[in-house]
Amino acid sequence: MTDLSPVRRALLSVSDKTGLIELGRALSDRGVELLSTGGSAKALREAGLTVRDVAEITGFPEMMDGRVKTLHPMVHGGLLALRDSDSHLAAMKQHGIGAIDLLVVNLYPFEETVAKGADYDTCVENIDIGGPAMIRAAAKNHAFVTVVVDVQDYEPLLAELDANDGATSYGFRQRLAQIAYAHTGAYDAAVSTWMAGALGETAPRRRVIAGELAQSLRYGENPHQQAAFYIDGSARPGVATAVQHQGKELSYNNINDTDAAFELISEFAPQDGPACVIIKHANPCGAARGRTLKEAYQKAFDCDRTSAFGGIVALNQPLDGETAQEITGIFTEVVIAPGADDEAVRIFSKKKNLRLLTTAGLADPRSAGLAFKQVAGGLLVQDKDAGHVDLADMKVVTKRQPTDAEMADLLFAWTIAKHVKSNAIVYVKNGATVGVGAGQMSRLDSALIAARKAERMAEALGLPASLTQGSAVASDAFFPFADGLMEAAAAGATAVIQPGGSMRDEAVIAAADEAGLAMVLTGMRHFRH
């Protein structure tokens, strides 16, 4: 094997025709013979290029609705033959097999077909067979054959040929072979994942996860950790599909926190009124509804002004100039919203370190999906938490019924608590969080921390009493004892929402009655780790 392998003959067969004519012309200009199939051959000919049909080489026409066209020794022999093996060369000569030095293939748009809601048979028909077989053959023989599966590699290919007098280097072919195997692996993963879903297999024997590199990151959670951001090809609105209007590249922590912010804000439909969420270290440090986005931001900010510094702001309606101006009052890492007006973009343009992301809409908080967590030696896979409760799901278990205002705050607090790391306690008053206790090993400690933070903010704002006075409080899981509930009552909460389900529910309910609290059970837990 020599390092340089000349490209004299190429097979081009692509589903995505982007750049095909330009590539074909460039190869032809460099003296490369072009082979092709079906629509690719037609497009090349219509552009005035000389191209041979694969059917001409194999002696067999495309058949069975195009299912069989490249699965033939004349093709695979040309891709797999070792150019430095006497026996391989003899076999090629004996059977009239010509070498194929370059393969350019991309596959049937299977994922796009699934995304359009196609029926089972249509999806099956869009599973590519010949393409992956050729790609794998060419990639295996990368000692001699160059394989290209991405349009973005057309220009590097031509540059490589020019740099090496019409040949490619071994290192270049190695890199493209790795990309090719990842491409077919991702394709097979998409097919197997779809089929498992179509068959109702919630725990298939093998599960494959694939992603496409979107960004190489400066580092991970910490500077000593390498990191990258991969996208899964789904169209779900969020950080992966957002448009970044300004600012430096997002970091690992920015992406993680922005995702948390947008998933939470998506719980609040725009038609129900403006809402704002501020996230720090993947936990909400403030969330609120308001008559305007500006008011919602101000109320969210007033929950915990200290933690909001350097945080992520998410809005459920397009960002306007007035709200943008208010946000610039402190340092903010990222603002994400379903759109932004020209005035907001202009105002943010003066803050070079602030990243503005806009999306095509909000994510569907009730849509199905999977969540993954890596553990030593494996993966935990579960349905993502799309759980939701309405008024009809609530069960009042105390003597006192919550007022309409308390019920509204209870629902708001419950929605926020779903997105707070466990153990989670959230105090809400008048449609705004006033204290958040997150990630404590004890529910009592979360209640204490949330109440203490609310007291400190009341002092900072010059208020006569903590805003937890007259508040509603949510707990992401049941109170195993009455102590956490009593801490909430001591902080001034008047209404409580929690899943229930503890062996001591009766004792907790009795304590709530004794304290004059209204308490609602949801029957649904929202642990978040």
Side-chain angles (χ1 to χ4, degrees):
M1 181 195 78
T2 60
D3 180 68
L4 294 177
S5 183
V7 174
R8 302 186 181 96
R9 199 166 183 240
L11 196 165
L12 285 63
S13 181
V14 295
S15 176
D16 179 2
K17 304 296 192 294
T18 304
L20 172 64
I21 304 305
E22 294 79 4
L23 176 63
R25 183 170 289 115
L27 292 173
S28 183
D29 290 345
R30 288 164 173 79
V32 178
E33 179 187 3
L34 303 182
L35 313 178
S36 194
T37 63
S40 297
K42 182 174 182 290
L44 291 166
R45 282 200 188 90
E46 289 177 350
L49 295 171
T50 300
V51 57
R52 294 182 67 191
D53 280 307
V54 165
E56 177 186 346
I57 296 163
T58 63
F60 281 84
E62 293 184 16
M63 62 182 70
M64 302 176 184
D65 299 318
R67 285 188 170 201
V68 179
K69 50 190 173 185
T70 59
L71 296 169
H72 193 280
M74 297 297 286
V75 174
H76 285 268
L79 293 170
L80 285 166
L82 299 174
R83 277 44 162 186
D84 59 358
S85 167
D86 290 341
S87 63
H88 284 212
L89 294 175
M92 292 175 73
K93 183 177 180 180
Q94 179 183 354
H95 298 288
I97 298 173
I100 299 173
D101 309 306
L102 169 65
L103 178 73
V104 180
V105 170
N106 55 56
L107 306 177
Y108 293 169
F110 178 79
E111 290 174 286
E112 290 88 339
T113 302
V114 173
K116 291 175 182 176
D119 61 30
Y120 185 92
D121 288 343
T122 301
C123 290
V124 168
E125 200 56 38
N126 276 273
I127 298 173
D128 203 323
I129 302 300
M134 289 193 294
I135 290 170
R136 290 176 62 83
K140 177 175 181 175
N141 203 24
H142 64 268
F144 304 99
V145 179
T146 306
V147 56
V148 176
V149 296
D150 290 327
V151 173
Q152 69 197 62
D153 289 321
Y154 291 179
E155 285 299 325
L157 168 67
L158 297 175
E160 176 78 1
L161 293 173
D162 289 341
N164 296 294
D165 195 23
T168 59
S169 63
Y170 182 63
F172 182 77
R173 296 192 300 277
Q174 275 187 309
R175 289 192 295 275
L176 290 183
Q178 185 278 321
I179 292 169
Y181 279 125
H183 184 66
T184 57
Y187 193 82
D188 287 341
V191 173
S192 65
T193 298
W194 163 77
M195 186 163 276
L199 297 177
E201 290 280 357
T202 57
R205 183 177 300 173
R206 292 181 177 84
R207 185 181 291 281
V208 184
I209 304 167
E212 182 177 349
L213 180 66
Q215 180 185 343
S216 294
L217 304 172
R218 286 172 290 157
Y219 52 81
E221 282 187 282
N222 302 293
H224 64 275
Q225 295 173 271
Q226 293 184 343
F229 181 36
Y230 289 83
I231 55 176
D232 62 11
S234 64
R236 183 177 179 84
V239 65
T241 55
V243 175
Q244 183 171 345
H245 294 265
Q246 67 170 66
K248 58 187 177 181
E249 285 191 339
L250 296 172
S251 70
Y252 181 101
N253 292 325
N254 291 153
I255 292 169
N256 187 55
D257 288 352
T258 302
D259 178 67
F262 198 73
E263 288 296 311
L264 173 49
I265 200 63
S266 292
E267 300 271 6
F268 303 104
Q271 61 267 27
D272 293 336
C276 174
V277 170
I278 305 174
I279 292 286
K280 194 69 170 289
H281 293 298
N283 279 303
C285 58
R289 295 185 182 275
R291 290 167 296 181
T292 64
L293 282 179
K294 177 182 177 181
E295 183 183 69
Y297 170 77
Q298 289 171 328
K299 291 169 69 176
F301 179 54
D302 284 345
C303 176
D304 186 350
R305 291 186 171 186
T306 300
S307 298
F309 184 86
I312 312 293
V313 173
L315 305 166
N316 73 334
Q317 296 178 355
L319 176 67
D320 58 78
E322 185 179 35
T323 307
Q325 189 63 54
E326 187 71 17
I327 292 172
T328 60
I330 66 161
F331 171 60
T332 299
E333 289 272 9
V334 180
V335 175
I336 186 168
D341 66 22
D342 291 343
E343 180 65 8
V345 173
R346 184 191 65 79
I347 290 169
F348 275 5
S349 68
K350 300 175 183 178
K351 297 288 184 177
K352 301 301 182 184
N353 290 325
L354 190 158
R355 292 89 149 187
L356 171 62
L357 304 181
T358 59
T359 67
L362 297 181
D364 180 0
R366 303 192 195 187
S367 66
L370 295 176
F372 303 88
K373 183 178 179 63
Q374 187 170 11
V375 297
L379 287 173
L380 286 171
V381 183
Q382 65 173 349
D383 293 335
K384 76 180 186 69
D385 187 356
H388 181 86
V389 296
D390 295 307
L391 282 173
D393 304 311
M394 306 288 196
K395 181 181 178 182
V396 179
V397 292
T398 49
K399 296 175 182 177
R400 187 172 80 78
Q401 296 279 324
T403 66
D404 289 345
E406 285 175 329
M407 187 61 84
D409 279 347
L410 286 171
L411 278 170
F412 187 81
W414 180 251
T415 302
I416 304 303
K418 172 184 172 183
H419 293 264
V420 178
K421 296 294 177 65
S422 300
N423 286 303
I425 294 290
V426 178
Y427 293 89
V428 166
K429 186 173 182 180
N430 298 328
T433 55
V434 294
V436 178
Q440 298 304 302
M441 291 69 76
S442 157
R443 195 158 301 279
L444 172 62
D445 287 342
S446 287
L448 285 164
I449 289 171
R452 178 57 185 144
K453 287 171 77 72
E455 290 173 2
R456 287 168 52 192
M457 273 309 304
E459 293 169 4
L461 295 171
L463 300 177
S466 171
L467 286 175
T468 54
Q469 295 292 323
S471 67
V473 64
S475 173
D476 65 332
F478 62 64
F479 287 100
F481 302 98
D483 53 359
L485 180 76
M486 290 300 94
E487 182 57 41
T494 59
V496 180
I497 186 169
Q498 55 128 331
S502 167
M503 292 186 298
R504 299 180 180 84
D505 270 356
E506 290 186 9
V508 173
I509 292 168
D513 280 332
E514 186 175 348
L517 300 173
M519 187 159 69
V520 174
L521 303 186
T522 66
M524 179 180 291
R525 188 179 74 186
H526 282 306
F527 269 169
R528 190 176 185 87
H529 297 111

